[in-house]
Amino acid sequence: MPDVILIAPPIREFYLTKKRTIPYGLACIAKELEQAGFSCTVIDALARDKSKIIEYPKGFDHLVPYYGKTDITLFSLFHHYRHFGYSFEHIANLVKQEKPFLVGISALFTPYWDQALDTARAVKRFWPNAFIVLGGHHATQFPKNCLENDEIDFVIQGEGETPMVQLAQLLKSHPPGSLPDADDLRQINGIGFRLGNGIVLNPPAWADSPHGLDQNALDKIDWHFYRRNKKAAITIVASRGCPFSCSYCAVSASSNYANFRMRPVNDVLDEIKLQARSKQIGFIDFEDENLTLKKSWVLELLHGIRQIFKGEDIELRAMNGLFPPSLDTEILTAMKASGFKTLNLSVGSFSATQLKRFKRPDVRDAHDRVLEIAKELDMDCVSYLIGAAPAQTAETTLNDLLALAARRTIAGLSIYYPAPGSADYTLCEQQQLLPNEFTLMRSTAFPVPDRTSRLEAVTLLRLARILNFLKFCVEPNGVLPEALSAGEVLDIENSCHGKMDRYKASILLIRMFLTDGIPRGMDHEGGIYHHPHSIDLCRKFIQELVLLPAGV
Protein backbone atom coordinates (compact mmCIF):
# COMPACT_ATOMS: atom_id res chain seq x y z
CA MET A 1 0.00 0.00 0.00
CA PRO A 2 1.56 3.35 -0.98
CA ASP A 3 1.91 6.12 1.58
CA VAL A 4 1.15 8.80 -1.01
CA ILE A 5 -0.86 8.84 -4.23
CA LEU A 6 -0.39 11.62 -6.79
CA ILE A 7 -3.17 12.19 -9.31
CA ALA A 8 -3.24 13.83 -12.74
CA PRO A 9 -7.01 14.45 -13.07
CA PRO A 10 -9.15 14.03 -16.19
CA ILE A 11 -9.92 17.13 -18.22
CA ARG A 12 -12.94 18.35 -20.17
CA GLU A 13 -12.19 20.05 -23.46
CA PHE A 14 -12.87 20.00 -27.19
CA TYR A 15 -9.57 18.26 -27.96
CA LEU A 16 -6.54 16.70 -26.27
CA THR A 17 -2.89 16.49 -27.37
CA LYS A 18 -1.84 13.45 -25.42
CA LYS A 19 1.91 13.74 -25.94
CA ARG A 20 1.68 16.97 -23.91
CA THR A 21 -0.12 15.46 -20.90
CA ILE A 22 2.70 13.29 -19.57
CA PRO A 23 2.62 13.80 -15.75
CA TYR A 24 6.24 14.90 -15.59
CA GLY A 25 5.79 17.25 -12.63
CA LEU A 26 4.09 14.58 -10.53
CA ALA A 27 6.92 12.17 -11.33
CA CYS A 28 9.41 14.80 -10.06
CA ILE A 29 7.49 14.97 -6.76
CA ALA A 30 7.29 11.17 -6.57
CA LYS A 31 11.06 10.98 -6.91
CA GLU A 32 11.60 13.27 -3.91
CA LEU A 33 8.99 11.43 -1.81
CA GLU A 34 10.57 8.04 -2.42
CA GLN A 35 14.06 9.34 -1.74
CA ALA A 36 12.68 10.56 1.61
CA GLY A 37 11.41 7.04 2.39
CA PHE A 38 7.75 7.26 1.32
CA SER A 39 6.18 4.79 -1.10
CA CYS A 40 4.33 6.61 -3.87
CA THR A 41 2.01 5.85 -6.78
CA VAL A 42 1.03 8.11 -9.68
CA ILE A 43 -2.50 7.79 -11.10
CA ASP A 44 -2.53 9.33 -14.58
CA ALA A 45 -6.24 9.66 -15.30
CA LEU A 46 -5.50 10.80 -18.86
CA ALA A 47 -3.59 7.66 -19.83
CA ARG A 48 -6.47 6.10 -21.75
CA ASP A 49 -7.62 6.47 -25.35
CA LYS A 50 -11.36 6.58 -24.74
CA SER A 51 -13.25 9.82 -24.23
CA LYS A 52 -16.90 10.57 -23.52
CA ILE A 53 -19.02 13.19 -25.27
CA ILE A 54 -20.68 15.43 -22.67
CA GLU A 55 -22.83 18.55 -22.59
CA TYR A 56 -21.23 21.97 -22.97
CA PRO A 57 -20.66 23.41 -19.47
CA LYS A 58 -22.31 26.46 -17.97
CA GLY A 59 -21.43 29.66 -19.83
CA PHE A 60 -20.53 27.93 -23.11
CA ASP A 61 -23.80 28.73 -24.91
CA HIS A 62 -22.10 31.32 -27.11
CA LEU A 63 -19.95 28.56 -28.64
CA VAL A 64 -22.85 26.47 -29.98
CA PRO A 65 -23.16 28.47 -33.26
CA TYR A 66 -19.41 28.13 -33.84
CA TYR A 67 -18.89 24.46 -32.92
CA GLY A 68 -22.41 23.01 -33.01
CA LYS A 69 -22.18 21.12 -36.33
CA THR A 70 -19.99 18.33 -37.60
CA ASP A 71 -17.41 19.44 -40.18
CA ILE A 72 -15.37 16.77 -42.00
CA THR A 73 -13.02 19.20 -43.78
CA LEU A 74 -9.30 19.23 -43.12
CA PHE A 75 -9.50 22.83 -41.85
CA SER A 76 -12.40 22.34 -39.42
CA LEU A 77 -12.33 23.61 -35.84
CA PHE A 78 -14.09 21.71 -33.04
CA HIS A 79 -17.44 20.08 -32.44
CA HIS A 80 -17.99 17.75 -29.48
CA TYR A 81 -17.08 18.65 -25.91
CA ARG A 82 -15.56 15.64 -24.17
CA HIS A 83 -14.48 14.15 -20.87
CA PHE A 84 -10.94 12.85 -21.40
CA GLY A 85 -9.69 10.29 -18.92
CA TYR A 86 -11.01 8.08 -16.14
CA SER A 87 -14.23 8.87 -14.34
CA PHE A 88 -13.93 10.55 -10.96
CA GLU A 89 -15.45 7.49 -9.28
CA HIS A 90 -12.92 5.15 -10.88
CA ILE A 91 -10.04 7.32 -9.66
CA ALA A 92 -11.50 7.45 -6.16
CA ASN A 93 -11.98 3.68 -6.10
CA LEU A 94 -8.32 3.18 -7.03
CA VAL A 95 -7.35 5.43 -4.12
CA LYS A 96 -9.64 3.54 -1.73
CA GLN A 97 -8.01 0.25 -2.70
CA GLU A 98 -4.53 1.62 -1.95
CA LYS A 99 -5.46 3.43 1.31
CA PRO A 100 -2.78 6.21 1.31
CA PHE A 101 -2.55 8.73 4.13
CA LEU A 102 -1.88 11.61 1.70
CA VAL A 103 -3.26 12.31 -1.78
CA GLY A 104 -1.80 15.01 -4.03
CA ILE A 105 -3.90 16.31 -6.94
CA SER A 106 -2.50 18.39 -9.78
CA ALA A 107 -4.35 21.58 -10.74
CA LEU A 108 -2.10 22.93 -13.46
CA PHE A 109 -4.54 24.90 -15.59
CA THR A 110 -7.31 27.15 -14.34
CA PRO A 111 -9.90 26.12 -17.02
CA TYR A 112 -9.67 22.54 -15.70
CA TRP A 113 -9.90 23.48 -12.04
CA ASP A 114 -13.40 21.97 -11.80
CA GLN A 115 -12.03 18.55 -12.73
CA ALA A 116 -9.36 18.78 -10.03
CA LEU A 117 -12.03 19.72 -7.47
CA ASP A 118 -14.37 16.94 -8.59
CA THR A 119 -11.46 14.49 -8.24
CA ALA A 120 -10.85 15.72 -4.69
CA ARG A 121 -14.53 15.38 -3.83
CA ALA A 122 -14.72 11.83 -5.12
CA VAL A 123 -11.54 10.79 -3.31
CA LYS A 124 -12.76 12.30 -0.04
CA ARG A 125 -16.07 10.47 -0.42
CA PHE A 126 -14.49 7.09 -1.14
CA TRP A 127 -11.50 7.40 1.20
CA PRO A 128 -12.05 10.10 3.84
CA ASN A 129 -9.03 8.95 5.88
CA ALA A 130 -6.58 10.62 3.51
CA PHE A 131 -5.47 14.24 3.61
CA ILE A 132 -5.79 15.93 0.22
CA VAL A 133 -3.31 18.51 -1.01
CA LEU A 134 -3.77 20.48 -4.25
CA GLY A 135 -0.79 21.79 -6.20
CA GLY A 136 0.03 23.31 -9.57
CA HIS A 137 -0.38 26.70 -11.19
CA HIS A 138 -4.04 27.16 -10.28
CA ALA A 139 -3.41 26.34 -6.64
CA THR A 140 -0.50 28.80 -6.66
CA GLN A 141 -2.62 31.63 -8.05
CA PHE A 142 -5.88 30.95 -6.21
CA PRO A 143 -4.98 29.22 -2.92
CA LYS A 144 -7.78 30.81 -0.92
CA ASN A 145 -10.37 29.86 -3.50
CA CYS A 146 -9.14 26.25 -3.37
CA LEU A 147 -9.17 26.09 0.43
CA GLU A 148 -12.74 27.34 0.58
CA ASN A 149 -13.66 23.78 -0.40
CA ASP A 150 -13.71 21.42 2.58
CA GLU A 151 -12.45 18.48 0.51
CA ILE A 152 -9.08 20.18 0.10
CA ASP A 153 -6.99 20.12 3.28
CA PHE A 154 -3.84 21.83 1.98
CA VAL A 155 -2.55 23.68 -1.06
CA ILE A 156 1.01 23.99 -2.30
CA GLN A 157 2.02 27.28 -3.91
CA GLY A 158 5.01 27.18 -6.22
CA GLU A 159 6.97 24.01 -6.99
CA GLY A 160 5.91 20.96 -5.04
CA GLU A 161 8.95 18.73 -4.57
CA THR A 162 10.20 20.05 -1.23
CA PRO A 163 6.92 21.11 0.46
CA MET A 164 5.26 17.79 -0.43
CA VAL A 165 8.02 15.85 1.29
CA GLN A 166 7.97 18.12 4.32
CA LEU A 167 4.18 17.88 4.59
CA ALA A 168 4.28 14.07 4.32
CA GLN A 169 6.93 13.91 7.05
CA LEU A 170 4.94 16.16 9.35
CA LEU A 171 1.67 14.25 8.83
CA LYS A 172 3.41 10.90 9.33
CA SER A 173 4.82 12.05 12.68
CA HIS A 174 1.29 12.57 14.05
CA PRO A 175 -1.46 10.06 14.83
CA PRO A 176 -3.38 8.99 11.68
CA GLY A 177 -5.98 11.52 10.67
CA SER A 178 -4.85 14.23 13.11
CA LEU A 179 -3.80 17.67 11.95
CA PRO A 180 -0.36 19.00 12.93
CA ASP A 181 -0.04 22.19 14.95
CA ALA A 182 -0.35 25.39 12.97
CA ASP A 183 3.11 26.47 14.12
CA ASP A 184 4.62 23.35 12.54
CA LEU A 185 2.73 23.90 9.29
CA ARG A 186 3.93 27.50 9.18
CA GLN A 187 7.50 26.19 8.84
CA ILE A 188 6.82 24.66 5.41
CA ASN A 189 7.24 27.12 2.52
CA GLY A 190 4.49 26.84 -0.07
CA ILE A 191 1.86 25.33 2.21
CA GLY A 192 -1.58 26.86 2.65
CA PHE A 193 -4.15 25.60 5.17
CA ARG A 194 -7.26 26.53 7.10
CA LEU A 195 -6.96 27.75 10.69
CA GLY A 196 -10.23 28.32 12.48
CA ASN A 197 -12.29 30.62 10.29
CA GLY A 198 -9.22 31.91 8.48
CA ILE A 199 -6.66 30.72 5.95
CA VAL A 200 -2.87 30.69 6.41
CA LEU A 201 -0.69 31.03 3.31
CA ASN A 202 3.05 30.54 3.56
CA PRO A 203 5.36 32.04 0.89
CA PRO A 204 5.55 30.03 -2.37
CA ALA A 205 8.29 27.42 -2.63
CA TRP A 206 10.74 27.49 -5.55
CA ALA A 207 13.60 25.07 -6.16
CA ASP A 208 17.03 26.73 -6.36
CA SER A 209 18.39 24.14 -8.80
CA PRO A 210 15.67 21.82 -10.15
CA HIS A 211 16.63 18.35 -11.28
CA GLY A 212 14.91 15.67 -13.31
CA LEU A 213 13.78 12.08 -12.83
CA ASP A 214 15.43 8.89 -11.67
CA GLN A 215 14.49 5.37 -12.76
CA ASN A 216 11.93 4.82 -9.99
CA ALA A 217 10.12 8.02 -10.95
CA LEU A 218 10.24 7.19 -14.65
CA ASP A 219 8.66 3.81 -13.94
CA LYS A 220 5.59 5.57 -12.51
CA ILE A 221 4.64 6.97 -15.93
CA ASP A 222 2.57 4.81 -18.27
CA TRP A 223 4.91 4.93 -21.25
CA HIS A 224 2.86 2.33 -23.13
CA PHE A 225 0.16 4.97 -23.52
CA TYR A 226 2.52 7.74 -24.60
CA ARG A 227 3.71 6.29 -27.87
CA ARG A 228 4.15 7.67 -31.37
CA ASN A 229 4.71 5.41 -34.37
CA LYS A 230 5.13 2.42 -32.01
CA LYS A 231 7.97 4.13 -30.12
CA ALA A 232 7.97 5.96 -26.80
CA ALA A 233 7.23 9.70 -26.83
CA ILE A 234 8.84 11.34 -23.82
CA THR A 235 8.91 14.78 -22.21
CA ILE A 236 11.97 16.53 -20.81
CA VAL A 237 11.97 19.75 -18.78
CA ALA A 238 15.51 21.10 -18.99
CA SER A 239 14.79 24.51 -17.45
CA ARG A 240 12.10 26.35 -15.54
CA GLY A 241 10.83 29.91 -15.78
CA CYS A 242 11.69 32.61 -18.29
CA PRO A 243 13.87 35.76 -18.19
CA PHE A 244 11.62 37.78 -20.53
CA SER A 245 8.70 39.97 -19.43
CA CYS A 246 5.97 39.14 -21.96
CA SER A 247 2.70 40.48 -20.57
CA TYR A 248 0.54 37.49 -21.54
CA CYS A 249 2.74 34.81 -19.94
CA ALA A 250 2.29 33.42 -16.43
CA VAL A 251 5.90 32.21 -16.08
CA SER A 252 7.63 35.36 -17.39
CA ALA A 253 9.81 37.70 -15.38
CA SER A 254 6.82 40.07 -15.11
CA SER A 255 4.69 37.42 -13.38
CA ASN A 256 4.93 36.08 -9.83
CA TYR A 257 6.75 32.96 -11.02
CA ALA A 258 10.30 32.04 -10.00
CA ASN A 259 13.49 33.07 -11.79
CA PHE A 260 14.78 31.38 -14.91
CA ARG A 261 16.80 28.29 -13.97
CA MET A 262 18.61 25.83 -16.26
CA ARG A 263 19.51 22.30 -15.27
CA PRO A 264 23.12 21.15 -15.75
CA VAL A 265 23.51 19.56 -19.17
CA ASN A 266 24.84 16.30 -17.72
CA ASP A 267 21.77 16.04 -15.49
CA VAL A 268 19.48 16.31 -18.52
CA LEU A 269 21.53 13.83 -20.54
CA ASP A 270 21.57 11.33 -17.67
CA GLU A 271 17.78 11.43 -17.57
CA ILE A 272 17.56 10.82 -21.33
CA LYS A 273 20.04 7.93 -21.04
CA LEU A 274 17.92 6.34 -18.32
CA GLN A 275 14.90 6.44 -20.56
CA ALA A 276 16.81 5.18 -23.60
CA ARG A 277 17.96 2.09 -21.66
CA SER A 278 14.44 0.99 -20.78
CA LYS A 279 12.48 1.86 -23.93
CA GLN A 280 12.87 2.61 -27.64
CA ILE A 281 12.42 6.36 -27.88
CA GLY A 282 11.09 7.90 -31.08
CA PHE A 283 10.07 11.37 -29.94
CA ILE A 284 11.29 13.88 -27.33
CA ASP A 285 9.43 17.09 -26.55
CA PHE A 286 11.36 19.69 -24.56
CA GLU A 287 8.72 21.55 -22.53
CA ASP A 288 10.99 24.55 -21.95
CA GLU A 289 10.20 28.20 -22.48
CA ASN A 290 13.75 28.95 -23.67
CA LEU A 291 15.59 25.81 -24.71
CA THR A 292 18.16 27.59 -26.92
CA LEU A 293 18.76 30.76 -24.91
CA LYS A 294 22.33 29.86 -23.90
CA LYS A 295 24.33 28.77 -26.94
CA SER A 296 27.12 26.79 -25.26
CA TRP A 297 24.57 24.95 -23.10
CA VAL A 298 22.30 23.88 -25.96
CA LEU A 299 25.20 22.87 -28.22
CA GLU A 300 26.55 20.66 -25.44
CA LEU A 301 23.07 19.18 -24.94
CA LEU A 302 22.59 18.47 -28.65
CA HIS A 303 26.04 16.88 -28.90
CA GLY A 304 25.19 14.61 -25.98
CA ILE A 305 21.88 13.60 -27.56
CA ARG A 306 23.65 12.66 -30.79
CA GLN A 307 25.98 10.41 -28.81
CA ILE A 308 23.07 8.69 -27.08
CA PHE A 309 21.06 8.01 -30.26
CA LYS A 310 23.81 7.26 -32.81
CA GLY A 311 22.24 5.90 -35.97
CA GLU A 312 18.71 5.89 -34.54
CA ASP A 313 15.72 7.67 -36.08
CA ILE A 314 14.47 10.06 -33.42
CA GLU A 315 12.51 13.30 -33.62
CA LEU A 316 13.03 16.23 -31.25
CA ARG A 317 10.62 19.13 -30.77
CA ALA A 318 10.35 22.20 -28.55
CA MET A 319 6.58 22.65 -28.66
CA ASN A 320 6.44 25.60 -26.27
CA GLY A 321 8.30 27.61 -28.90
CA LEU A 322 11.84 28.74 -29.68
CA PHE A 323 13.14 32.31 -29.37
CA PRO A 324 14.26 33.22 -32.93
CA PRO A 325 17.14 35.60 -31.96
CA SER A 326 18.78 32.71 -30.08
CA LEU A 327 19.00 30.60 -33.24
CA ASP A 328 21.86 30.80 -35.73
CA THR A 329 23.28 28.53 -38.43
CA GLU A 330 25.50 26.63 -35.99
CA ILE A 331 22.68 25.88 -33.55
CA LEU A 332 20.16 25.02 -36.27
CA THR A 333 22.64 22.69 -37.99
CA ALA A 334 23.22 20.94 -34.67
CA MET A 335 19.47 20.72 -34.07
CA LYS A 336 18.95 19.18 -37.50
CA ALA A 337 21.70 16.63 -36.90
CA SER A 338 20.22 15.74 -33.50
CA GLY A 339 16.70 15.04 -34.78
CA PHE A 340 14.86 18.35 -35.00
CA LYS A 341 12.72 18.22 -38.13
CA THR A 342 10.34 21.07 -37.25
CA LEU A 343 11.06 24.41 -35.58
CA ASN A 344 8.29 25.88 -33.41
CA LEU A 345 9.03 29.62 -33.49
CA SER A 346 7.57 32.15 -31.05
CA VAL A 347 6.71 35.40 -32.81
CA GLY A 348 3.67 36.90 -31.05
CA SER A 349 2.85 39.42 -33.77
CA PHE A 350 4.31 41.21 -36.79
CA SER A 351 2.88 44.51 -35.52
CA ALA A 352 5.43 46.72 -33.77
CA THR A 353 2.62 48.30 -31.77
CA GLN A 354 1.29 44.94 -30.64
CA LEU A 355 4.75 43.66 -29.72
CA LYS A 356 5.25 46.73 -27.57
CA ARG A 357 1.88 46.11 -25.93
CA PHE A 358 2.91 42.49 -25.27
CA LYS A 359 6.25 43.78 -23.86
CA ARG A 360 7.81 41.19 -26.11
CA PRO A 361 11.21 41.50 -27.83
CA ASP A 362 10.91 42.26 -31.53
CA VAL A 363 11.88 38.99 -33.21
CA ARG A 364 10.59 39.71 -36.73
CA ASP A 365 13.94 40.05 -38.50
CA ALA A 366 15.38 37.12 -36.58
CA HIS A 367 12.32 35.05 -37.44
CA ASP A 368 12.79 35.64 -41.17
CA ARG A 369 16.51 34.86 -40.91
CA VAL A 370 15.68 31.54 -39.21
CA LEU A 371 13.18 30.70 -41.98
CA GLU A 372 15.92 31.16 -44.58
CA ILE A 373 18.36 28.93 -42.70
CA ALA A 374 15.63 26.33 -42.12
CA LYS A 375 14.92 26.27 -45.86
CA GLU A 376 18.59 25.54 -46.59
CA LEU A 377 18.55 22.75 -43.98
CA ASP A 378 15.20 21.36 -45.22
CA MET A 379 13.52 21.90 -41.85
CA ASP A 380 9.82 22.67 -41.42
CA CYS A 381 8.64 25.65 -39.40
CA VAL A 382 5.58 26.66 -37.39
CA SER A 383 5.29 30.33 -36.38
CA TYR A 384 3.19 31.13 -33.33
CA LEU A 385 0.93 34.17 -33.15
CA ILE A 386 -1.47 35.48 -30.50
CA GLY A 387 -4.80 36.97 -31.52
CA ALA A 388 -7.78 38.63 -29.80
CA ALA A 389 -5.72 39.87 -26.85
CA PRO A 390 -6.85 42.93 -24.85
CA ALA A 391 -6.77 46.03 -27.09
CA GLN A 392 -5.69 43.92 -30.10
CA THR A 393 -7.79 44.45 -33.23
CA ALA A 394 -8.91 41.74 -35.62
CA GLU A 395 -7.20 43.62 -38.44
CA THR A 396 -3.86 43.35 -36.63
CA THR A 397 -4.20 39.58 -36.38
CA LEU A 398 -5.38 39.28 -39.98
CA ASN A 399 -2.29 41.17 -41.12
CA ASP A 400 -0.19 38.77 -39.05
CA LEU A 401 -1.76 35.81 -40.86
CA LEU A 402 -1.17 37.47 -44.22
CA ALA A 403 2.45 38.06 -43.25
CA LEU A 404 2.84 34.33 -42.63
CA ALA A 405 1.02 33.53 -45.87
CA ALA A 406 3.98 34.96 -47.77
CA ARG A 407 6.55 33.01 -45.74
CA ARG A 408 7.72 29.41 -45.72
CA THR A 409 6.06 28.44 -42.47
CA ILE A 410 2.81 27.20 -40.98
CA ALA A 411 0.60 29.58 -38.96
CA GLY A 412 0.13 28.65 -35.33
CA LEU A 413 -2.56 31.07 -34.15
CA SER A 414 -3.59 30.98 -30.50
CA ILE A 415 -6.63 32.93 -29.42
CA TYR A 416 -5.68 34.85 -26.28
CA TYR A 417 -6.84 33.63 -22.88
CA PRO A 418 -6.06 35.35 -19.55
CA ALA A 419 -3.32 33.35 -17.80
CA PRO A 420 -3.58 33.89 -14.02
CA GLY A 421 -0.42 35.45 -12.66
CA SER A 422 0.43 37.29 -15.88
CA ALA A 423 0.49 41.07 -16.26
CA ASP A 424 -2.33 40.89 -18.81
CA TYR A 425 -4.50 38.90 -16.40
CA THR A 426 -4.23 41.79 -13.96
CA LEU A 427 -5.06 44.20 -16.80
CA CYS A 428 -8.15 42.17 -17.72
CA GLU A 429 -9.19 42.12 -14.09
CA GLN A 430 -8.83 45.90 -13.80
CA GLN A 431 -10.78 46.49 -17.00
CA GLN A 432 -13.45 43.94 -16.04
CA LEU A 433 -12.71 41.80 -19.09
CA LEU A 434 -12.38 38.49 -17.25
CA PRO A 435 -15.05 35.85 -17.91
CA ASN A 436 -17.37 35.00 -15.02
CA GLU A 437 -16.30 31.36 -14.77
CA PHE A 438 -12.81 29.85 -14.43
CA THR A 439 -13.75 27.23 -17.01
CA LEU A 440 -14.09 29.93 -19.70
CA MET A 441 -10.44 30.99 -19.38
CA ARG A 442 -9.34 28.90 -22.35
CA SER A 443 -8.49 29.69 -25.95
CA THR A 444 -11.31 27.56 -27.37
CA ALA A 445 -13.92 29.69 -25.54
CA PHE A 446 -12.81 33.08 -26.99
CA PRO A 447 -12.79 34.48 -23.44
CA VAL A 448 -11.95 38.18 -23.92
CA PRO A 449 -14.12 39.93 -26.54
CA ASP A 450 -12.48 43.35 -26.30
CA ARG A 451 -11.30 45.02 -29.54
CA THR A 452 -11.72 41.67 -31.33
CA SER A 453 -15.26 40.30 -31.16
CA ARG A 454 -15.93 36.60 -30.70
CA LEU A 455 -17.23 36.39 -34.27
CA GLU A 456 -13.98 37.94 -35.50
CA ALA A 457 -11.91 35.64 -33.28
CA VAL A 458 -13.53 32.47 -34.60
CA THR A 459 -13.18 33.81 -38.16
CA LEU A 460 -9.46 34.42 -37.64
CA LEU A 461 -9.01 30.92 -36.24
CA ARG A 462 -10.76 29.45 -39.30
CA LEU A 463 -8.66 31.58 -41.62
CA ALA A 464 -5.50 30.28 -39.98
CA ARG A 465 -6.67 26.70 -40.60
CA ILE A 466 -7.64 27.54 -44.16
CA LEU A 467 -4.27 29.18 -44.76
CA ASN A 468 -2.38 26.13 -43.54
CA PHE A 469 -4.48 23.84 -45.73
CA LEU A 470 -3.83 26.07 -48.74
CA LYS A 471 -0.09 25.87 -48.09
CA PHE A 472 -0.28 22.10 -48.48
CA CYS A 473 -2.39 22.05 -51.63
CA VAL A 474 -1.01 24.92 -53.73
CA GLU A 475 0.53 24.13 -57.08
CA PRO A 476 4.35 24.11 -57.34
CA ASN A 477 4.32 27.69 -58.67
CA GLY A 478 2.33 28.89 -55.65
CA VAL A 479 -0.95 29.41 -57.52
CA LEU A 480 -4.09 28.94 -55.41
CA PRO A 481 -6.85 26.45 -56.29
CA GLU A 482 -9.17 27.88 -58.92
CA ALA A 483 -12.22 29.81 -57.73
CA LEU A 484 -15.67 28.95 -59.08
CA SER A 485 -18.39 31.06 -60.64
CA ALA A 486 -21.29 32.26 -58.50
CA GLY A 487 -23.60 29.95 -60.45
CA GLU A 488 -21.38 26.94 -59.80
CA VAL A 489 -21.36 27.73 -56.08
CA LEU A 490 -25.16 27.88 -56.02
CA ASP A 491 -25.47 24.58 -57.88
CA ILE A 492 -23.06 22.87 -55.49
CA GLU A 493 -24.89 24.16 -52.40
CA ASN A 494 -28.20 22.87 -53.79
CA SER A 495 -26.81 19.42 -54.60
CA CYS A 496 -26.85 16.28 -52.43
CA HIS A 497 -23.26 15.06 -52.24
CA GLY A 498 -23.51 12.03 -50.00
CA LYS A 499 -20.39 10.84 -48.22
CA MET A 500 -17.25 12.45 -49.62
CA ASP A 501 -13.55 11.92 -49.23
CA ARG A 502 -12.20 14.50 -46.73
CA TYR A 503 -9.54 15.87 -49.07
CA LYS A 504 -11.92 16.19 -52.02
CA ALA A 505 -14.52 17.85 -49.80
CA SER A 506 -11.89 20.25 -48.48
CA ILE A 507 -10.73 21.26 -51.96
CA LEU A 508 -14.34 21.80 -53.07
CA LEU A 509 -15.14 24.04 -50.10
CA ILE A 510 -11.87 25.95 -50.51
CA ARG A 511 -12.75 26.76 -54.12
CA MET A 512 -16.16 27.97 -52.96
CA PHE A 513 -14.53 30.07 -50.23
CA LEU A 514 -12.16 31.68 -52.73
CA THR A 515 -15.21 32.59 -54.83
CA ASP A 516 -17.33 34.45 -52.28
CA GLY A 517 -15.40 34.57 -48.99
CA ILE A 518 -17.87 32.38 -47.08
CA PRO A 519 -16.26 29.62 -44.94
CA ARG A 520 -18.33 26.46 -45.18
CA GLY A 521 -18.47 23.09 -43.49
CA MET A 522 -19.63 19.68 -44.67
CA ASP A 523 -21.36 17.09 -42.49
CA HIS A 524 -20.96 13.32 -42.77
CA GLU A 525 -23.86 13.07 -45.23
CA GLY A 526 -22.28 15.59 -47.59
CA GLY A 527 -24.51 18.49 -46.60
CA ILE A 528 -22.90 21.91 -46.99
CA TYR A 529 -23.59 24.78 -44.60
CA HIS A 530 -22.17 28.23 -43.77
CA HIS A 531 -20.03 28.83 -40.70
CA PRO A 532 -20.65 32.07 -38.75
CA HIS A 533 -18.01 34.51 -39.94
CA SER A 534 -16.93 38.10 -40.46
CA ILE A 535 -17.32 38.66 -44.18
CA ASP A 536 -15.05 41.72 -44.09
CA LEU A 537 -12.14 39.69 -42.66
CA CYS A 538 -12.71 36.85 -45.11
CA ARG A 539 -12.84 39.11 -48.15
CA LYS A 540 -9.73 41.05 -47.19
CA PHE A 541 -7.95 37.73 -46.60
CA ILE A 542 -8.80 36.55 -50.13
CA GLN A 543 -8.00 39.88 -51.76
CA GLU A 544 -4.47 39.91 -50.35
CA LEU A 545 -3.83 36.19 -50.69
CA VAL A 546 -2.58 36.11 -54.26
CA LEU A 547 0.36 33.68 -54.16
CA LEU A 548 1.69 31.25 -51.59
CA PRO A 549 5.28 30.06 -51.38
CA ALA A 550 5.61 26.50 -52.69
CA GLY A 551 7.27 23.73 -50.73
CA VAL A 552 6.02 24.65 -47.25
Side-chain angles (χ1 to χ4, degrees), residues 208-248:
D208 292 331
S209 53
H211 288 267
L213 305 178
D214 60 14
Q215 190 60 58
N216 285 337
L218 290 169
D219 290 343
K220 298 184 187 305
I221 296 174
D222 184 359
W223 297 111
H224 294 288
F225 176 74
Y226 296 104
R227 297 178 69 81
R228 179 170 170 162
N229 299 325
K230 299 182 180 181
K231 295 182 180 179
I234 70 171
T235 288
I236 298 291
V237 178
S239 62
R240 299 185 188 181
C242 179
F244 298 114
S245 299
C246 302
S247 62
Y248 52 80

Side-chain angles (χ1 to χ4, degrees), residues 100-102 124 127-131 153-154 170-180:
F101 75 86
L102 180 61
K124 208 69 164 181
W127 183 239
N129 296 334
F131 289 104
D153 300 296
F154 306 100
L170 185 58
L171 293 173
K172 195 69 173 178
S173 68
H174 286 69
S178 65
L179 277 170

Side-chain angles (χ1 to χ4, degrees), residues 244-249 252-254 346-363 384-393 396-397 400 413-417 422-425 427-428 452:
F244 298 114
S245 299
C246 302
S247 62
Y248 52 80
C249 180
S252 74
S254 64
S346 296
V347 181
S349 176
F350 284 89
S351 162
T353 300
Q354 189 59 47
L355 287 172
K356 186 177 180 180
R357 189 176 291 127
F358 282 151
K359 297 182 180 178
R360 176 164 177 76
D362 189 339
V363 304
Y384 291 140
L385 304 170
I386 296 175
Q392 185 178 16
T393 66
T396 298
T397 308
D400 286 343
L413 175 63
S414 295
I415 298 300
Y416 171 85
Y417 63 92
S422 67
D424 278 349
Y425 183 91
L427 175 68
C428 288
T452 300

